[in-house]
Amino acid sequence: MNEEQRSLLLSCSSHYLPPQGVKLSYGTAGFRADASLLQSTVYRVGILAALRSLKTQLVIGVMITASHNKVSDNGVKIADPSGGMLSQHWEPFADALANAPSPQDLVQLINDFVKKENIQFSGVKPAEVLLGRDTRPSGNALLKAAKEGLASVIAAVAIDMGILTTPQLHWMVRARNKGMKASEHDYFGQLSSSFRCLMDLIPRERGTFGGMKDKLVVDGANGKEKVVPHGFGSKDVGTRCASLDGDADRLVYFCVSPESSSKINLIDGDKILSLFALFIGEQLRILNEQVDTKNSYQARLGVVQTAYANGASTNYLKQLGLEVNLTPTGVKYLHEKAAGFDVGIYFEANGHGTILFSESFIGWLEATTYELSSGSKGSEEKKAALRLLAVGKLINQAVGDALSGLLLVEVILQHMGWSLDRWNELYQDLPSRQLKVKVADRTAVVTANAETVVVSPPCLQEAINAEIANYPQGRSFVRPSGTEDVVRVYAEASTQEGADSLACSVAQLVEHFLG
Ligand SMILES: CC(=O)N[C@H]1[C@@H](OP(=O)(O)O)O[C@H](CO)[C@@H](O)[C@@H]1O
Ligand SMILES: [Mg+2]
């Protein structure tokens, strides 16, 4: 870092001093806090994004949002060149940057990091960073802070993409780095053309839609905690509903329960995963059966869940003969695992998830559709290949995206000729309960095996196992949250009473062991 760069950083950062007595952490989903505390953090994330872009020589994204959290909160996260989450390897630097007390400390920290990572400022492409934000009132001022962070790095270009959903910004970063056009218009263009392509490929004999109604009601995060949204009641029984979270990176479906109009039947991320796996599996089978063996491609299909996946969903997926993988909580872990397959489908139960296709499989599909284009025009294998290619365009491969996921669910329901009830009946969820326990130090809980086993404090796992043994189909685990200052308890059992009581007993054990 030369003297000019140093003094630029020193003078600019003196306008963005960090709040006193606050420890900021990049966490599972970037920095989150009350918006009034975030000016200096967002400024520093601007610097971080510029450095990441200089290092990778690719486009980086910065998204300012706190999803469905309170309107007075805000947050900031980085989209890496792939469109995915910031490389975990840079997270400790993000934490250190946000917490550096003075401009001098900040400049020293950056200088050391730049040396360690061998980041060049001259003779390289300038840093290019796409900025997005949600509709929060604090968004504009924080955007300005991000821009000033970028302006503190010589040769960094900020491109304001305006108000976006989180997945739109991730999509744009991925598209830009693939040399594609990446405006909001291009995003909607790709979603709508691939959706239309999939609709046109629905087999005629299945076109009766199984009594599926045209109307879909979309709830913008008004239906939390498994309760019916405002204004909903018995008149809405039978209506197909989808619910998006605040920045549209999570999707679930639901309907008002026919038994009680104040309750909903929730169709969660696990069931979306199952629906996607069935559809993709069907297309892969058609291809494997029909494409001649010398040209065949044994695509590996894998699904990825976390310990929060309902046990009934994991059983169901295994019964389908699928390879089910478990990772710790947090999209970054699921995404990484799914990327190891030709088709990797991942979902958290709460609705974060997407489908990833390997470059080599996409290449093979393109070649196959091209070869089949002259002879067997409308052949089944060509249709299957075209469907998979269209899914790869419709689904947001950068990150889970409620809008693109919703369109894919809609097309698959039509393809199968299924109603919402038919989809929901794939398997029956085991009753479950989640609780939060406030403890003195949640980091005292250390887990292993994708968070299913506690290794510290000693003996806590044995005590949990002894509780589980009292419940038919009992399963329970505890882990420290990555986004809240609590230990989370999950329990499931064959009855709701059982799940509630197991969760309660395990929560008491956590309190007992951690005080
Ligand atoms: C049980 C649960 O739903 N945990 C959520 C929550 O993480 P915690 O580490 O559990 O606080 O927020 C994450 C980020 O949004 C999300 O990826 C994850 O699924
Ligand atoms: Mg969200």
Side-chain angles (χ1 to χ4, degrees):
M1 218 158 68
N2 61 21
E3 212 31 62
E4 186 194 353
Q5 176 64 82
R6 259 174 212 274
S7 54
L8 181 64
L9 272 170
L10 259 185
S11 66
C12 295
S13 59
S14 61
H15 302 292
Y16 287 97
L17 298 176
Q20 301 232 311
V22 183
K23 175 133 177 27
L24 296 143
S25 159
Y26 195 79
T28 328
F31 294 107
R32 293 252 179 118
D34 189 274
S36 64
L37 300 172
L38 280 174
Q39 284 286 333
S40 90
T41 309
V42 176
Y43 165 80
R44 290 161 182 218
V45 168
I47 299 176
L48 180 82
L51 296 177
R52 186 87 187 128
S53 178
L54 285 173
K55 167 78 190 182
T56 57
Q57 289 288 284
L58 290 163
V59 178
I60 295 288
V62 171
M63 183 71 199
I64 299 167
T65 178
S67 191
H68 51 276
N69 287 10
K70 307 201 280 286
V71 66
S72 52
D73 280 2
N74 217 325
V76 63
K77 53 190 165 190
I78 289 214
D80 236 15
S82 63
M85 303 295 173
L86 173 67
S87 163
Q88 289 168 50
H89 158 68
W90 275 46
E91 280 183 18
F93 178 57
D95 287 343
L97 209 58
N99 294 299
S102 70
Q104 288 76 10
D105 294 315
L106 185 74
V107 174
Q108 184 62 47
L109 193 70
I110 295 172
N111 194 45
D112 294 348
F113 188 73
V114 160
K115 267 200 205 135
K116 186 173 135 240
E117 291 286 328
N118 192 22
I119 297 170
Q120 304 295 325
F121 290 83
S122 56
V124 291
K125 272 202 308 193
E128 194 176 335
V129 178
L130 307 187
L131 301 166
R133 65 185 168 94
D134 70 16
T135 51
R136 283 183 162 74
S138 56
N140 243 333
L142 292 175
L143 180 75
K144 184 166 166 270
K147 284 183 179 166
E148 291 194 13
L150 284 156
S152 319
V153 178
I154 289 170
V157 182
I159 304 173
D160 181 3
M161 305 303 289
I163 290 174
L164 298 172
T165 69
T166 293
Q168 280 179 325
L169 183 84
H170 285 258
W171 183 94
M172 287 170 181
V173 170
R174 181 173 185 269
R176 280 295 286 268
N177 286 321
K178 282 178 164 280
M180 287 153 48
K181 290 200 285 179
S183 66
E184 197 175 358
H185 185 76
D186 298 317
Y187 168 86
F188 284 119
Q190 179 164 322
L191 258 58
S192 51
S193 62
S194 50
F195 177 72
R196 179 163 296 274
C197 172
L198 281 163
M199 291 297 277
D200 289 344
L201 284 162
I202 289 174
R204 258 181 226 294
E205 68 276 13
R206 295 202 189 165
T208 55
F209 304 149
M212 183 177 165
K213 298 188 178 129
D214 285 342
K215 186 162 123 183
L216 167 73
V217 174
V218 178
D219 160 51
N222 204 10
K224 296 259 170 272
E225 305 283 344
K226 289 196 192 175
V227 294
V228 176
H230 284 304
F232 260 57
S234 48
K235 66 180 188 329
D236 302 295
V237 170
T239 302
R240 190 166 77 260
C241 306
S243 188
L244 280 54
D245 75 330
D247 61 343
D249 64 353
R250 287 210 258 159
L251 172 70
V252 293
Y253 269 69
F254 68 94
C255 57
V256 176
S257 162
E259 281 117 50
S260 156
S261 61
S262 62
K263 284 207 185 123
I264 60 159
N265 292 333
L266 179 68
I267 304 178
D268 63 2
D270 300 338
K271 241 170 209 156
I272 299 176
L273 168 62
S274 304
L275 185 73
F276 287 180
L278 279 175
F279 180 73
I280 302 276
E282 180 188 301
Q283 308 318 311
L284 291 178
R285 257 190 311 281
I286 297 174
L287 278 174
N288 285 343
E289 278 164 15
Q290 308 208 12
V291 170
D292 81 64
T293 43
K294 97 173 163 323
N295 288 330
S296 75
Y297 184 113
Q298 289 304 317
R300 268 186 76 212
L301 170 61
V303 297
V304 188
Q305 301 189 304
T306 72
Y308 290 102
N310 194 280
S313 78
T314 311
N315 278 342
Y316 174 76
L317 292 164
K318 285 186 177 160
Q319 276 165 17
L320 293 179
L322 285 165
E323 184 177 334
V324 183
N325 299 268
L326 221 59
T327 70
T329 304
V331 165
K332 58 190 173 191
Y333 301 112
L334 291 111
H335 192 98
E336 192 177 30
K337 189 76 194 172
F341 295 91
D342 289 303
V343 188
I345 315 176
Y346 72 83
F347 264 90
E348 292 190 317
N350 60 22
H352 280 132
T354 190
I355 310 176
L356 304 181
F357 289 83
S358 72
E359 294 282 343
S360 60
F361 185 46
I362 292 288
W364 181 83
L365 286 170
E366 279 166 353
T368 302
T369 50
Y370 181 73
E371 274 166 30
L372 292 174
S373 59
S374 46
S376 44
K377 218 166 175 192
S379 71
E380 285 311 306
E381 71 259 43
K382 184 176 172 194
K383 283 186 195 157
L386 285 172
R387 281 188 199 110
L388 290 171
L389 282 171
V391 171
K393 295 211 166 82
L394 175 55
I395 202 76
N396 186 338
Q397 291 191 57
V399 77
D401 181 336
L403 294 178
S404 91
L406 180 145
L407 291 175
L408 186 57
V409 167
E410 290 295 308
V411 100
I412 297 177
L413 290 179
Q414 300 255 5
H415 176 97
M416 301 288 196
W418 283 359
S419 64
L420 199 70
D421 288 340
R422 173 67 186 81
W423 173 25
N424 197 21
E425 284 159 10
L426 282 180
Y427 59 83
Q428 209 186 348
D429 277 324
L430 278 167
S432 68
R433 175 66 58 204
Q434 277 197 52
L435 295 175
K436 299 179 195 183
V437 188
K438 195 114 183 92
V439 297
D441 176 14
R442 74 187 199 277
T443 61
V445 178
V446 181
T447 62
N449 295 358
E451 303 174 326
T452 54
V453 183
V454 179
V455 289
S456 184
C459 306
L460 175 54
Q461 187 61 49
E462 280 84 347
I464 295 175
N465 290 347
E467 272 307 319
I468 294 173
N470 298 328
Y471 298 86
Q473 294 183 275
R475 184 170 73 92
S476 179
F477 65 94
V478 303
R479 54 175 281 277
S481 160
T483 61
E484 289 176 63
D485 190 15
V486 293
V487 170
R488 293 197 199 280
V489 174
Y490 177 90
E492 64 186 33
S494 58
T495 62
Q496 191 60 57
E497 294 70 33
D500 292 349
S501 142
L502 177 56
C504 247
S505 312
V506 172
Q508 280 165 9
L509 287 174
V510 171
E511 271 165 8
H512 174 74
F513 276 78
L514 286 123

